[in-house]
Amino acid sequence: MSLQLDDTIVALASAPGVGGRGIVRVSGADVKIIASKHFEAADVIRWKNAARAERHPGMWRLDVDVPWDDPPFREGVRLPVDVALWPTNRSYTGQALAELHLVSSPPLLEAIVAQFCRSGCRPAQPGEFTLRAFLAGRLDLMQAEAVLGVIDAADHAELELALRQLAGGISHDIVSLRSDLLDLLAELEAGLDFVDEDIEFVSREQLLARMTFARKTVSDLCDQAARRLTSSTRPRVVLAGLPNAGKSTLLNALTDRSAALVSEVSGTTRDYLLVPLDRDGLHVDLIDTAGWDESTTGIEALAQQMRTEQWQHADLIVWCSDLSADASTLARDEPLWSELAREQRRHLRIGTKADTLTQSASQGERSPRRRILESVVRSPSLALRVSVSSTSKSSGLTELCRLIAETLSTESHGQRQWLGMTAIRCQESLASARDAISRCVEAVALGVPDDLLIVDLRESLDHLGHIVGAVYTDDILDRIFSKFCIGK
């Protein structure tokens, strides 16, 4: 990306098309000089006096000349606009900046941009405003990527994720870690300068503890980024359970479509099926998987492998316990659920085919199977959060959607803080930083001299610097900012 960053640039900063408000953004050293050319004499005096007197942003109601090519309007049209002026480097771009707010009429906005270009501006390149903000230190590289994430957000979940990253959520953890490692590097290098005086700035115990903490932090970030690469911005909710537990029927009922093949024959689902679910305010990717089977051969083994992969990438696993099952099936279900509940994975247990209990009750049945079901449902170990009936669309489905939304909203801190584009860019740097820090931990434990530790410590700092943009190259900036639209 070869740009003249001292140029004064102009571009349309609002969405194209007709609307109540359009924004033309101008940034650069000559903003006040160029913009003043478009106002009448009285307005020029007021503009210059305000810009000189105020050292902070200001808003003025002014009139701008908009010349037209058509003969009746060649001498210009007087158009009232709201002008927001940042006269110093305290603006978004770190330069003098002005925004002209007026009615969003494409011919008017295009005429104003053209007039500013004739007055000394050049058209902004894609992402050039945000690039200047990054180079001025107003944003780090992850926050700059979040600007694009906000622009490209397709739904509320994507927008919320991008806004968290723009606010510096994940950046704060990395910057804080890098700052501590820089302090550690300084202490180690200071110790080398005073090695003859036998002065110790950081003990080996403190060094080992801080490096171990750094390794865990970077390892967690690596895991988060890896999970983000295998998922969309929509949470992934996996339906799991024994064969014929009603998972496919439940998926069809929740999504109100016949997406999954349903049969009374056990083991119908061999592959996995992903269907977007947008219901009762819940927006997730719902995934049906093969029922739990211990087979290790043939197509069943492949189905189990696919199921395991979906479990690993899930934001939530919904375990389906069949309330119509016999005693032997219930006895198989309980230990599998208990095993899942012990894992470090977000999970939820529900009862399916609840209509069987209702039917039995209406018929006054007190069969052995029903008595077993009633005792199991009352058992604290079962921990059923909701019972659903897929044959009745009003039975438990709305409550299930609410429960899934509540469970996902309490997900652990940092689990979904990565934008996809950021995770892709940072994955290699995170892995390299983790490896360098791991070598430091091993070297400290072995008593390796500090001058050798410093080599790996510096390497880890370089990799972390690439993530937040403290260290960058032109090709990295080109790949990121070339994806932006003009005006951002």
Side-chain angles (χ1 to χ4, degrees):
M1 179 178 293
S2 178
L3 297 175
Q4 297 297 323
L5 299 178
D6 293 330
D7 292 349
T8 301
I9 56 176
V10 62
L12 176 65
S14 54
V18 177
R21 177 64 62 100
I23 302 174
V24 173
R25 181 177 293 160
V26 190
S27 179
D30 297 330
V31 162
K32 290 180 286 185
I33 297 174
I34 294 175
S36 296
K37 298 178 182 179
H38 299 272
F39 306 117
E40 290 182 342
D43 289 332
V44 171
I45 295 174
R46 186 159 50 134
W47 171 283
K48 289 182 177 178
N49 287 341
R52 184 170 58 250
E54 301 290 338
R55 303 297 294 177
H56 54 78
M59 178 75 90
W60 293 274
R61 183 77 174 182
L62 304 174
D63 293 327
V64 63
D65 282 317
V66 183
W68 297 89
D69 293 332
D70 295 333
F73 305 105
R74 281 179 178 168
E75 294 184 0
V77 175
R78 304 301 298 162
L79 181 68
V81 299
D82 291 324
V83 181
L85 173 66
W86 288 262
T88 68
N89 61 359
R90 296 172 63 186
S91 71
Y92 172 71
T93 60
Q95 302 172 320
L97 184 144
E99 288 184 352
L100 282 68
H101 294 239
L102 64 156
V103 62
S104 184
S105 168
L108 287 175
L109 295 171
E110 291 169 5
I112 287 180
V113 171
Q115 179 69 359
F116 270 78
C117 288
R118 287 192 289 267
S119 299
C121 292
R122 68 165 172 83
Q125 297 296 313
E128 190 169 359
F129 289 102
T130 305
L131 173 62
R132 293 188 178 196
F134 164 70
L135 294 176
R138 308 294 285 180
L139 302 171
D140 64 36
L141 207 51
M142 298 181 73
Q143 290 174 303
E145 288 172 315
V147 173
L148 182 58
V150 170
I151 297 169
D152 291 341
D155 56 32
H156 178 75
E158 292 183 11
L159 178 60
E160 184 178 359
L161 180 63
L163 288 175
R164 283 202 302 268
Q165 184 167 315
L166 181 59
I170 198 70
S171 296
H172 174 77
D173 295 337
I174 298 176
V175 170
S176 177
L177 172 63
R178 190 169 183 272
S179 176
D180 185 64
L181 292 179
L182 281 170
D183 290 341
L184 194 56
L185 176 63
E187 291 165 353
L188 290 175
E189 291 185 335
L192 294 178
D193 292 336
F194 292 92
V195 65
D196 294 335
E197 285 78 5
D198 195 25
I199 297 176
E200 187 178 61
F201 287 86
V202 56
S203 69
R204 304 300 284 189
E205 292 76 15
Q206 293 174 332
L207 179 59
L208 182 60
R210 290 165 69 177
M211 294 304 303
T212 301
F213 175 79
R215 180 175 61 180
K216 182 182 184 306
T217 301
V218 176
S219 295
D220 290 344
L221 291 172
C222 283
D223 293 341
Q224 293 168 18
R227 288 197 301 268
R228 184 62 186 85
L229 288 175
T230 56
S231 67
S232 67
T233 53
R234 295 164 65 97
R236 296 168 66 92
V237 177
V238 172
L239 300 178
L242 291 174
N244 206 28
K247 302 182 295 297
S248 299
T249 303
L250 177 60
L251 180 141
N252 288 344
L254 285 169
T255 59
D256 199 22
R257 54 189 290 194
S258 299
L261 179 63
V262 176
S263 171
E264 293 297 328
V265 178
S266 177
T268 301
T269 302
R270 299 294 182 86
D271 199 350
Y272 71 90
L273 177 65
L274 186 151
V275 181
L277 172 60
D278 298 280
R279 174 182 177 142
D280 299 323
L282 179 66
H283 305 284
V284 299
D285 285 337
L286 192 61
I287 303 170
D288 183 21
T289 60
W292 186 285
D293 195 328
E294 297 180 354
S295 175
T296 58
T297 61
I299 192 171
E300 289 81 6
L302 182 59
Q304 297 309 305
Q305 179 182 347
M306 291 182 176
R307 181 210 67 207
T308 302
E309 291 175 354
Q310 293 305 311
W311 282 31
Q312 291 173 344
H313 301 149
D315 294 289
L316 173 66
I317 297 176
V318 177
W319 182 267
C320 300
S321 294
D322 182 3
L323 298 181
S324 71
D326 55 27
S328 63
T329 301
L330 291 172
R332 290 175 55 211
D333 184 272
E334 180 69 17
L336 291 175
W337 156 252
S338 300
E339 181 181 346
L340 172 63
R342 287 193 296 268
E343 296 184 12
Q344 296 299 316
R345 191 177 282 127
R346 197 165 297 278
H347 51 266
L348 177 68
R349 192 181 195 184
I350 67 170
T352 56
K353 306 182 184 180
D355 50 301
T356 59
L357 290 178
T358 304
Q359 293 171 2
S360 299
S362 64
Q363 296 170 3
E365 296 182 3
R366 293 291 298 173
S367 65
R369 184 181 67 83
R370 173 164 174 75
R371 287 196 297 271
I372 292 173
L373 285 172
E374 289 176 338
S375 64
V376 169
V377 169
R378 289 194 298 268
S379 171
S381 64
L382 184 67
L384 282 180
R385 299 296 302 277
V386 62
S387 297
V388 299
S389 170
S390 301
T391 60
S392 174
K393 294 184 178 180
S394 62
S395 180
L397 298 183
T398 298
E399 183 182 357
L400 175 58
C401 289
R402 177 190 59 78
L403 189 58
I404 290 174
E406 289 179 356
T407 306
L408 289 172
S409 68
T410 59
E411 64 187 1
S412 59
H413 176 69
Q415 187 173 354
R416 297 186 61 83
Q417 287 193 340
W418 290 85
L419 288 174
M421 69 187 83
T422 305
I424 292 172
R425 177 180 66 83
C426 297
Q427 187 182 32
E428 183 177 351
S429 294
L430 280 171
S432 298
R434 178 195 58 200
D435 293 343
I437 293 173
S438 295
R439 291 195 299 270
C440 284
V441 172
E442 295 171 1
V444 173
L446 294 173
V448 172
D450 290 352
D451 55 341
L452 298 180
L453 291 176
I454 287 175
V455 176
D456 287 325
L457 186 54
R458 284 188 177 276
E459 181 182 343
S460 68
L461 285 166
D462 285 343
H463 291 303
L464 293 175
H466 278 104
I467 295 173
V468 294
V471 179
Y472 61 86
T473 58
D474 289 343
D475 61 320
I476 291 178
L477 298 184
D478 187 49
R479 285 199 303 270
I480 294 174
F481 291 98
S482 62
K483 300 175 184 177
F484 279 63
C485 57
I486 295 174
K488 296 296 183 289

